[in-house]
Amino acid sequence: MKQSITLDRITKFVGLDFLKNIKSIFTGKIEKEDFKNFLRKVVVPLASMLLFIGLWHMGAKALYNTEAEYKIEKALTEQGQEAADAMRACIASGAIKCQPNTLPSPAQVWASFKTLLDDHYIIKADKEAFIEKTAALNAKRLAEGKDPITYTGRPSFVDQILTSIKTVFAGFLLALLIAVPIGIVIGLSKTLRSSVNWLIQIFKPVSPVVWLLLVFMIVKTLTKDSESDSAFIISFISVGLCSMWATLVNTAMGVSSVDKDYINVAKVLKLGTFQKVFKVILPSALPLIFTGLRITLSVSWMVLIAIELLAQSPGLGSFVWEEFQNGAIDSNSKIIVAMFVIGGIGFLLDRIMLIIQNMISFNKNDGI
């Protein structure tokens, strides 16, 4: 009985009701509604995933055949039948030098994912060996007041993922610290909302590239003689400024639309300004504030790739651009790997925000 209650609490907390349906199947106690929920939340999504992979495989195969026929036809037109036969045999042999460079299949993407992981472990081992090799020398340099020798090798795919996550969280935190307080102040005053509305409407649609250039102008001047990582600073500030507007607008809207009865009750209880804000207004505005925060986090993750690419920050943006420039036979599949990683992390970030919202807000939301 105690274990059942614990499972119910866990499933309610994380929003994974289908776990209870699985438990019902294994215990033999399954109801019609539970079975429908299991089909809708487990079987149907899995079936749609398999359908997506199947359509992807067929599409990739069709594009591969089209590109192969084009290469053979081109060889026939330019060099004759012998060259065309040689090209056909080369493609059939699987030789890298003559393979069509088009949309990769699911199998190729999976192979590239494993290659990137293997590469990460190799780089990690090299980094650990370097640290061990220079440990004594660095200890001596530190004792002499000198900077230690640091590893300057290329980052692995996993390192680039961690860099991007660090950057997006720094940018999101900056957006939160700027947008929520300003949104609360604006939401409390109609006059103030009217006076700054033009500013919000002008800056809200500005491209992340423009924000990056503006931040670059300022940061490069302020950090001219600094040893700090200017690429990281430029990236996270640009992300924060570009993505904060949804939170600012939603916070102002949430604060301004609080039920007047709540405000009247606060007046009757003679609550001070700060008490009224933190005990009455903010709890009522939380659903809209969190909607803005979820949008801000999603926008932060989307614009991060373009900003990292331009700021030359060693994150996923740089990885995608380098693979595109590389033009190797497996570059396309590595770009697709990055696409799925970016989408997966974005989904997880949104789920985390949804869980936090459901924990501290009275307005529960299953998300979409």
Side-chain angles (χ1 to χ4, degrees), residues 57-220:
H57 174 76
M58 290 189 293
K61 186 176 181 180
L63 290 172
Y64 178 91
N65 292 335
T66 300
E67 183 70 14
E69 288 300 323
Y70 172 78
K71 290 171 75 73
I72 295 169
E73 186 67 26
K74 184 178 180 181
L76 177 63
T77 304
E78 295 179 354
Q79 303 176 38
Q81 185 63 47
E82 186 176 346
D85 292 339
M87 178 62 70
R88 189 185 302 276
C90 183
I91 292 173
S93 68
I96 294 177
K97 63 179 180 179
C98 56
Q99 289 302 300
N101 191 12
T102 182
L103 178 69
S105 67
Q108 290 173 312
V109 172
W110 178 250
S112 292
F113 174 71
K114 293 192 291 185
T115 299
L116 289 170
L117 282 184
D118 293 339
D119 182 62
H120 164 70
Y121 291 122
I122 292 171
I123 293 175
K124 183 180 178 182
D126 290 343
K127 190 182 296 185
E128 291 173 350
F130 174 84
I131 293 173
E132 184 178 349
K133 184 178 179 180
T134 59
L137 179 58
N138 280 338
K140 184 179 178 182
R141 289 177 64 88
L142 288 172
E144 295 173 354
K146 299 178 181 179
D147 293 331
I149 301 172
T150 57
Y151 181 80
T152 56
R154 66 181 179 87
S156 70
F157 182 61
V158 175
D159 294 331
Q160 289 171 304
I161 292 173
L162 296 176
T163 298
S164 291
I165 292 175
K166 182 178 71 172
T167 304
V168 82
F169 269 112
F172 174 73
L173 183 61
L174 177 66
L176 186 152
L177 294 176
I178 294 175
V180 172
I182 294 177
I184 292 171
V185 173
I186 293 174
L188 291 172
S189 171
K190 289 183 178 180
T191 304
L192 196 56
R193 281 203 303 277
S194 300
S195 64
V196 301
N197 182 60
W198 67 271
L199 190 69
I200 295 172
Q201 298 307 322
I202 288 176
F203 285 125
K204 186 170 64 173
V206 172
S207 165
V209 176
V210 178
W211 282 115
L212 173 69
L213 296 175
L214 177 63
V215 173
F216 178 77
M217 297 174 198
I218 299 170
V219 171
K220 76 169 185 176

Side-chain angles (χ1 to χ4, degrees), residues 7-68:
L7 180 60
D8 290 342
R9 287 178 177 174
I10 293 173
T11 54
K12 185 177 180 181
F13 173 70
V14 300
L16 299 176
D17 294 335
F18 68 84
L19 288 178
K20 291 195 292 184
N21 300 330
I22 295 175
K23 184 193 74 170
S24 299
I25 290 174
F26 283 106
T27 57
K29 299 176 180 178
I30 182 168
E31 298 179 0
K32 186 177 180 180
E33 191 62 31
D34 291 334
F35 183 68
K36 287 182 179 179
N37 287 335
F38 178 75
L39 289 177
R40 179 168 55 87
K41 294 187 176 182
V42 180
V43 177
V44 173
L46 287 176
S48 67
M49 290 179 191
L50 293 174
L51 177 62
F52 171 77
I53 293 173
L55 292 173
W56 175 13
H57 174 76
M58 290 189 293
K61 186 176 181 180
L63 290 172
Y64 178 91
N65 292 335
T66 300
E67 183 70 14

Side-chain angles (χ1 to χ4, degrees), residues 157 160 304-328 331-332 334-336 338-339 342:
F157 182 61
Q160 289 171 304
L304 173 70
I305 305 305
I307 287 175
E308 281 185 333
L309 189 155
L310 295 172
Q312 297 181 340
S313 178
L316 286 170
S318 296
F319 172 83
V320 171
W321 181 247
E322 288 168 4
E323 289 301 328
F324 176 75
Q325 293 286 84
N326 186 18
S331 290
N332 287 354
K334 288 181 179 179
I335 290 173
I336 300 296
M339 183 187 76
I342 291 166

